[in-house]
Amino acid sequence: MTTTLITGANKGLGFETARRLVEAGHTVYAGSRDPERGRRAAELLGARTVVLDVTDDASVAAAARAIEADGGLDVLVNNAGIERNESGAAEVTADTLRTTFDTNVFGVVRVTHAFLPLLRRSAAPVVVNVSSGLASKTLVSTVGTPTYAYPGVAYPASKAALNMITVQYAKAFPDMRINAVEPGYTATDLNGHSGTQTVEEGAEIIVRMARVRPDGPTGGYFDAAGPLPW
């Protein structure tokens, strides 16, 4: 039985990913900052719930102890993320960056570090970092694309940092499969449901990489169609 933890799993892409992995036979821990929302989501999913605020050391440590006591972990999906309403480069401040990075970058490192001992005991450990097409310098620099039109700084910068973190972890732990994924412009609370994809479409690549085999890719950056340019 594969045991999986998904951060930010009480709604959106996290919820749909949890639903699909439960359906595939995983034992899923639905991580949520809000205990009641997490409990309700887990009931709907047939999953287990764990209170997990990725910005809080004590919360992450408690979640790691709870999952260790239940038997361990095979797959970690770092899905929790935020996007503040950003204007452009002229308006961005250090505080804006700090808030966004605390969840999207430091939160991923905080959670991954806490769960590494459990993952390293697994026979087939997997980490999936939910990134964005906005993390690609190639795509963001291409005139006429939706990514080029995005004016903000903090969110793309945080996801670009996440991609580099993915590469460095993959190099450090070659026995793990550690990849970054781009779900696409999916209608979720993150973008006020303005996305052009459904959560079912967006979760496809997350689920696929959560189920990657031990001989599968690692250190990569993928969307549903395949590898993405950095």
Side-chain angles (χ1 to χ4, degrees):
M1 179 69 75
T2 299
T3 301
T4 300
L5 167 64
I6 304 170
T7 66
N10 61 284
K11 61 182 179 179
L13 285 168
F15 184 92
E16 177 60 19
T17 299
R19 186 190 70 79
R20 296 267 294 276
L21 290 176
V22 168
E23 191 176 74
H26 287 216
T27 297
V28 172
Y29 286 88
S32 175
R33 288 183 303 174
D34 185 301
E36 182 56 27
R37 288 181 181 178
R39 183 191 63 77
R40 290 199 300 266
E43 285 182 357
L44 289 170
L45 291 164
R48 301 179 183 183
T49 186
V50 62
V51 178
L52 179 54
D53 180 349
V54 303
T55 67
D56 183 83
D57 288 328
S59 174
V60 172
R65 288 194 298 270
I67 292 175
E68 180 178 27
D70 279 351
L73 189 69
D74 303 295
V75 179
L76 170 62
V77 179
N78 285 307
N79 166 73
I82 62 169
E83 179 189 22
R84 299 301 185 193
N85 291 327
E86 295 185 61
S87 297
E91 292 79 22
V92 71
T93 66
D95 284 341
T96 306
L97 286 171
R98 189 176 295 109
T99 300
T100 302
F101 270 60
D102 196 25
T103 295
N104 296 0
V105 181
F106 308 147
V108 170
V109 172
R110 187 176 284 115
V111 171
T112 304
H113 180 74
F115 283 93
L116 270 174
L118 303 189
L119 290 166
R120 296 181 77 178
R121 295 175 204 160
S122 170
V126 172
V127 178
V128 182
N129 293 328
V130 179
S131 184
S132 167
L134 292 165
S136 167
K137 179 181 179 293
T138 301
L139 297 178
V140 171
S141 300
T142 304
V143 177
T145 64
T147 47
Y148 182 87
Y150 184 88
V153 176
Y155 185 75
S158 73
K159 293 300 186 178
L162 176 61
N163 281 6
M164 183 54 70
I165 286 166
T166 301
V167 170
Q168 295 301 88
Y169 272 113
K171 286 161 52 181
F173 301 103
D175 293 337
M176 298 188 189
R177 303 297 91 183
I178 305 175
N179 294 288
V181 299
E182 143 69 324
Y185 191 33
T186 304
T188 66
D189 286 354
L190 189 78
N191 54 46
H193 292 271
S194 62
T196 56
Q197 290 187 149
T198 65
V199 289
E200 290 81 7
E201 292 170 316
E204 174 60 33
I205 186 60
I206 309 175
V207 172
R208 188 189 311 168
M209 298 313 290
R211 301 183 68 190
V212 72
R213 296 175 57 86
D215 60 352
T218 191
Y221 174 38
F222 301 92
D223 69 3
L228 286 172
W230 296 92

